[in-house]
Short mmCIF file of all heavy atoms in Angstrom, two decimals:
data_model
loop_
_atom_site.label_atom_id
_atom_site.label_comp_id
_atom_site.label_asym_id
_atom_site.label_seq_id
_atom_site.Cartn_x
_atom_site.Cartn_y
_atom_site.Cartn_z
N ALA A 1 -8.04 1.78 -23.60
CA ALA A 1 -6.81 1.45 -24.31
C ALA A 1 -5.64 2.20 -23.67
O ALA A 1 -5.79 3.32 -23.18
CB ALA A 1 -6.93 1.83 -25.78
N GLY A 2 -4.47 1.58 -23.69
CA GLY A 2 -3.31 2.25 -23.14
C GLY A 2 -2.25 1.27 -22.69
O GLY A 2 -2.38 0.05 -22.89
N ASN A 3 -1.21 1.80 -22.07
CA ASN A 3 -0.12 0.99 -21.56
C ASN A 3 -0.38 0.64 -20.09
O ASN A 3 -0.53 1.53 -19.25
CB ASN A 3 1.21 1.73 -21.68
CG ASN A 3 1.64 1.91 -23.12
OD1 ASN A 3 1.41 1.02 -23.95
ND2 ASN A 3 2.24 3.03 -23.45
N TYR A 4 -0.44 -0.66 -19.82
CA TYR A 4 -0.68 -1.17 -18.47
C TYR A 4 0.64 -1.63 -17.88
O TYR A 4 1.54 -2.09 -18.59
CB TYR A 4 -1.69 -2.32 -18.52
CG TYR A 4 -3.09 -1.82 -18.77
CD1 TYR A 4 -3.48 -1.41 -20.05
CD2 TYR A 4 -4.02 -1.74 -17.75
CE1 TYR A 4 -4.75 -0.92 -20.29
CE2 TYR A 4 -5.30 -1.25 -17.98
CZ TYR A 4 -5.66 -0.85 -19.25
OH TYR A 4 -6.92 -0.35 -19.48
N ARG A 5 0.77 -1.45 -16.56
CA ARG A 5 2.03 -1.78 -15.88
C ARG A 5 1.82 -2.89 -14.85
O ARG A 5 0.81 -2.94 -14.15
CB ARG A 5 2.60 -0.55 -15.18
CG ARG A 5 3.07 0.52 -16.14
CD ARG A 5 3.98 1.52 -15.45
NE ARG A 5 3.34 2.16 -14.29
CZ ARG A 5 3.97 2.97 -13.45
NH1 ARG A 5 5.26 3.21 -13.60
NH2 ARG A 5 3.33 3.53 -12.44
N VAL A 6 2.82 -3.75 -14.77
CA VAL A 6 2.87 -4.80 -13.75
C VAL A 6 4.13 -4.58 -12.92
O VAL A 6 5.22 -4.36 -13.49
CB VAL A 6 2.88 -6.20 -14.39
CG1 VAL A 6 3.19 -7.27 -13.35
CG2 VAL A 6 1.55 -6.50 -15.07
N ALA A 7 3.99 -4.60 -11.61
CA ALA A 7 5.13 -4.45 -10.70
C ALA A 7 5.35 -5.75 -9.93
O ALA A 7 4.39 -6.39 -9.49
CB ALA A 7 4.87 -3.30 -9.73
N VAL A 8 6.60 -6.11 -9.77
CA VAL A 8 6.97 -7.32 -9.02
C VAL A 8 7.95 -6.91 -7.94
O VAL A 8 8.96 -6.27 -8.22
CB VAL A 8 7.61 -8.37 -9.94
CG1 VAL A 8 7.99 -9.61 -9.14
CG2 VAL A 8 6.69 -8.73 -11.09
N HIS A 9 7.63 -7.26 -6.68
CA HIS A 9 8.58 -6.98 -5.60
C HIS A 9 8.58 -8.12 -4.60
O HIS A 9 7.58 -8.85 -4.47
CB HIS A 9 8.27 -5.65 -4.90
CG HIS A 9 6.97 -5.64 -4.14
ND1 HIS A 9 6.81 -6.25 -2.93
CD2 HIS A 9 5.78 -5.06 -4.44
CE1 HIS A 9 5.57 -6.07 -2.49
NE2 HIS A 9 4.93 -5.34 -3.38
N PRO A 10 9.68 -8.33 -3.88
CA PRO A 10 9.74 -9.40 -2.87
C PRO A 10 8.71 -9.15 -1.76
O PRO A 10 8.44 -8.00 -1.41
CB PRO A 10 11.16 -9.31 -2.32
CG PRO A 10 11.94 -8.55 -3.33
CD PRO A 10 10.97 -7.61 -3.96
N LEU A 11 8.16 -10.22 -1.24
CA LEU A 11 7.19 -10.10 -0.16
C LEU A 11 7.83 -9.48 1.08
O LEU A 11 7.23 -8.65 1.75
CB LEU A 11 6.60 -11.47 0.17
CG LEU A 11 5.63 -11.51 1.34
CD1 LEU A 11 4.36 -10.74 1.01
CD2 LEU A 11 5.29 -12.94 1.73
N GLU A 12 9.04 -9.92 1.39
CA GLU A 12 9.71 -9.47 2.60
C GLU A 12 10.90 -8.59 2.25
O GLU A 12 11.63 -8.85 1.28
CB GLU A 12 10.17 -10.67 3.44
CG GLU A 12 9.02 -11.54 3.93
CD GLU A 12 9.51 -12.73 4.73
OE1 GLU A 12 10.73 -12.98 4.71
OE2 GLU A 12 8.68 -13.39 5.35
N LYS A 13 11.09 -7.57 3.07
CA LYS A 13 12.20 -6.65 2.86
C LYS A 13 13.54 -7.38 3.01
O LYS A 13 13.69 -8.28 3.83
CB LYS A 13 12.10 -5.50 3.88
CG LYS A 13 13.10 -4.38 3.64
CD LYS A 13 12.85 -3.24 4.63
CE LYS A 13 13.83 -2.11 4.40
NZ LYS A 13 13.59 -0.97 5.32
N ASN A 14 14.49 -6.99 2.18
CA ASN A 14 15.85 -7.52 2.21
C ASN A 14 15.94 -8.99 1.82
O ASN A 14 16.91 -9.66 2.16
CB ASN A 14 16.49 -7.31 3.59
CG ASN A 14 16.61 -5.85 3.96
OD1 ASN A 14 16.87 -5.01 3.10
ND2 ASN A 14 16.41 -5.54 5.24
N SER A 15 14.93 -9.51 1.14
CA SER A 15 15.01 -10.87 0.63
C SER A 15 15.30 -10.82 -0.86
O SER A 15 14.95 -9.86 -1.55
CB SER A 15 13.70 -11.62 0.88
OG SER A 15 12.64 -11.03 0.15
N THR A 16 15.98 -11.82 -1.37
CA THR A 16 16.32 -11.87 -2.79
C THR A 16 16.03 -13.26 -3.33
O THR A 16 15.80 -14.20 -2.58
CB THR A 16 17.81 -11.54 -3.03
OG1 THR A 16 18.60 -12.48 -2.30
CG2 THR A 16 18.13 -10.13 -2.58
N GLY A 17 16.06 -13.39 -4.63
CA GLY A 17 15.81 -14.64 -5.31
C GLY A 17 15.44 -14.35 -6.75
O GLY A 17 15.26 -13.19 -7.14
N THR A 18 15.33 -15.38 -7.56
CA THR A 18 15.03 -15.17 -8.96
C THR A 18 13.58 -15.52 -9.27
O THR A 18 12.93 -16.28 -8.55
CB THR A 18 15.95 -16.02 -9.85
OG1 THR A 18 15.73 -17.41 -9.55
CG2 THR A 18 17.41 -15.68 -9.62
N TYR A 19 13.09 -14.94 -10.34
CA TYR A 19 11.77 -15.27 -10.87
C TYR A 19 11.79 -15.03 -12.37
O TYR A 19 12.68 -14.34 -12.90
CB TYR A 19 10.67 -14.44 -10.21
CG TYR A 19 10.69 -12.98 -10.58
CD1 TYR A 19 9.96 -12.50 -11.67
CD2 TYR A 19 11.45 -12.06 -9.86
CE1 TYR A 19 9.99 -11.16 -12.02
CE2 TYR A 19 11.50 -10.72 -10.20
CZ TYR A 19 10.75 -10.27 -11.29
OH TYR A 19 10.79 -8.94 -11.65
N GLN A 20 10.82 -15.59 -13.05
CA GLN A 20 10.67 -15.38 -14.49
C GLN A 20 9.25 -14.91 -14.77
O GLN A 20 8.29 -15.55 -14.33
CB GLN A 20 10.96 -16.67 -15.25
CG GLN A 20 10.80 -16.55 -16.77
CD GLN A 20 11.26 -17.80 -17.48
OE1 GLN A 20 12.45 -18.10 -17.53
NE2 GLN A 20 10.31 -18.55 -18.01
N ILE A 21 9.12 -13.80 -15.46
CA ILE A 21 7.80 -13.26 -15.76
C ILE A 21 7.52 -13.39 -17.25
O ILE A 21 8.42 -13.18 -18.09
CB ILE A 21 7.68 -11.79 -15.31
CG1 ILE A 21 6.24 -11.30 -15.47
CG2 ILE A 21 8.67 -10.89 -16.04
CD1 ILE A 21 5.96 -10.00 -14.76
N THR A 22 6.28 -13.80 -17.59
CA THR A 22 5.89 -14.04 -18.97
C THR A 22 4.53 -13.41 -19.24
O THR A 22 3.60 -13.60 -18.43
CB THR A 22 5.81 -15.55 -19.28
OG1 THR A 22 7.04 -16.17 -18.92
CG2 THR A 22 5.52 -15.78 -20.75
N LEU A 23 4.42 -12.68 -20.33
CA LEU A 23 3.12 -12.20 -20.80
C LEU A 23 2.56 -13.31 -21.68
O LEU A 23 2.93 -13.45 -22.85
CB LEU A 23 3.28 -10.89 -21.57
CG LEU A 23 1.99 -10.29 -22.14
CD1 LEU A 23 0.98 -9.99 -21.04
CD2 LEU A 23 2.30 -9.02 -22.95
N GLU A 24 1.69 -14.12 -21.11
CA GLU A 24 1.19 -15.31 -21.80
C GLU A 24 0.22 -14.96 -22.93
O GLU A 24 0.21 -15.61 -23.98
CB GLU A 24 0.50 -16.25 -20.81
CG GLU A 24 1.43 -16.85 -19.77
CD GLU A 24 2.28 -17.97 -20.34
OE1 GLU A 24 2.06 -18.36 -21.50
OE2 GLU A 24 3.18 -18.44 -19.60
N ALA A 25 -0.63 -13.94 -22.69
CA ALA A 25 -1.63 -13.63 -23.72
C ALA A 25 -2.20 -12.24 -23.49
O ALA A 25 -2.28 -11.77 -22.36
CB ALA A 25 -2.77 -14.66 -23.68
N VAL A 26 -2.57 -11.59 -24.59
CA VAL A 26 -3.43 -10.40 -24.59
C VAL A 26 -4.47 -10.67 -25.66
O VAL A 26 -4.12 -10.78 -26.84
CB VAL A 26 -2.64 -9.11 -24.89
CG1 VAL A 26 -3.61 -7.93 -25.00
CG2 VAL A 26 -1.61 -8.83 -23.82
N ARG A 27 -5.73 -10.80 -25.26
CA ARG A 27 -6.75 -11.27 -26.20
C ARG A 27 -8.11 -10.74 -25.82
O ARG A 27 -8.29 -10.12 -24.76
CB ARG A 27 -6.77 -12.80 -26.22
CG ARG A 27 -6.96 -13.41 -24.85
CD ARG A 27 -7.26 -14.89 -24.92
NE ARG A 27 -7.29 -15.53 -23.61
CZ ARG A 27 -8.27 -15.38 -22.71
NH1 ARG A 27 -9.30 -14.59 -22.97
NH2 ARG A 27 -8.22 -16.02 -21.55
#
């Protein structure tokens, strides 16, 4: 039990763009 972390980073350095992250389920 505890707090879990998710990290999101661009694949390539100096690239940008948008994304949407969703926690669909914890079950």
Side-chain angles (χ1 to χ4, degrees):
N3 292 324
Y4 286 76
R5 293 196 303 173
V6 169
V8 180
H9 67 76
L11 177 66
E12 297 179 349
K13 188 175 180 179
N14 298 324
S15 64
T16 59
T18 61
Y19 70 91
Q20 179 173 290
I21 187 166
T22 307
L23 179 59
E24 294 284 353
V26 175
R27 55 168 173 73

